[in-house]
Amino acid sequence: MSLKAKIEAIIYAAETPITLDQIVQLVKDSTDGGDANELRTQVRVAIDGLTAEYAVEGRGIEIRQIAGGYRMSTKPEQHDVVRAFAKSLKPPIRLSLPALETLAVIAYKQPVTVPEISEIRGVDSSGVIATLLDRKLITTSVRIDVIGRPILYKTTKEFLLRFGLKDVNELPSMEEFEKLVAESFQSDLLPAEGAHVQSPDAQPEAAAVEADKSA
């Protein structure tokens, strides 16, 4: 990957303006080394080149120097269409940790019944199921032809969209899922007494929410 491509990716991914010195530090280990001043010059030249490329009329975004750093932003002439797009976005989903724990059980054990979910978690999950249905993250599948005819639950397309998955076969390990949850919902999580998601294959008592950790 070229130096310019690396810098472009860094500026794109940065949530806040990133300085020239920060960029130099990030790319120095992946370059051929050499003089520090020379690398700094190369980085500056690459940034200037990228800025010029994005400045052409046919591009919708630009690289701007803001507060001593660089960041990508939409061009002023595109603000109206971007504003309209932002208004069309769905509001962020707010879920408690018990809801996320239940969602994880359904994702990894689907299709699954409420009694099975409750057994794995060690607590009644009926109320949480209603929340997940309301958020359209899960849906009903079929009823099992046994006494009581319990309903089976599974995840939805909305679940895949929220977690950036092609299908359920792309579900990561439980540890990776916890990280994915944190990255996907970030500050949208509601505070709740609970613990990290336990493996759906664990014993009920092991899957119960631990009291020594809160959201």
Side-chain angles (χ1 to χ4, degrees), residues 45-57:
V45 169
I47 292 175
D48 290 342
L50 285 168
T51 301
E53 290 176 16
Y54 278 99
V56 299
E57 186 176 348

Side-chain angles (χ1 to χ4, degrees), residues 12-210:
Y12 171 79
E15 295 183 0
T16 58
I18 186 166
T19 67
L20 176 64
D21 289 337
Q22 287 176 314
I23 296 174
V24 170
Q25 289 298 314
L26 290 170
V27 302
K28 70 176 183 179
D29 291 336
S30 59
T31 59
D32 295 331
D35 183 76
N37 291 329
E38 180 181 350
L39 176 59
R40 184 183 177 86
T41 299
Q42 292 175 351
V43 170
R44 187 186 294 277
V45 169
I47 292 175
D48 290 342
L50 285 168
T51 301
E53 290 176 16
Y54 278 99
V56 299
E57 186 176 348
R59 306 299 288 266
I61 59 177
E62 61 184 353
I63 294 179
R64 299 178 59 192
Q65 192 166 7
I66 302 174
Y70 299 90
R71 74 176 302 174
M72 285 188 174
S73 61
T74 56
K75 290 185 176 181
E77 57 267 31
Q78 307 301 335
H79 286 181
D80 288 342
V81 68
V82 173
R83 186 178 296 109
F85 169 71
K87 289 181 179 179
S88 71
L89 294 175
K90 297 179 181 178
I93 289 180
R94 300 178 66 82
L95 296 175
S96 65
L97 288 181
L100 287 171
E101 184 181 66
T102 301
L103 180 60
V105 173
I106 295 173
Y108 284 89
K109 298 289 286 186
Q110 62 183 308
V112 62
T113 65
V114 173
E116 290 173 325
I117 297 169
S118 298
E119 182 179 2
I120 291 171
R121 295 188 60 232
V123 294
D124 180 55
S125 303
S126 301
V128 181
I129 291 293
T131 298
L132 297 176
L133 285 170
D134 183 60
R135 300 294 192 276
K136 294 181 171 55
L137 293 172
I138 64 170
T139 187
T140 57
S141 180
V142 296
R143 287 184 179 273
I144 302 179
D145 192 16
V146 296
I147 296 176
R149 301 200 50 164
I151 299 174
L152 288 170
Y153 292 90
K154 62 181 181 180
T155 54
T156 62
K157 181 179 179 180
E158 180 70 15
F159 169 82
L160 297 177
L161 289 172
R162 289 285 178 173
F163 289 93
L165 301 172
K166 178 181 179 181
D167 53 47
V168 294
N169 292 324
E170 288 191 345
L171 281 170
S173 66
M174 289 301 296
E175 291 75 15
E176 292 171 332
F177 183 85
E178 289 181 335
K179 181 179 179 181
L180 184 60
V181 165
E183 292 176 349
S184 297
F185 292 93
Q186 298 179 358
S187 61
D188 296 326
L189 294 176
L190 287 175
E193 291 295 326
H196 63 280
V197 178
Q198 299 286 342
S199 171
D201 295 322
Q203 294 299 318
E205 57 272 19
V209 175
E210 297 173 2

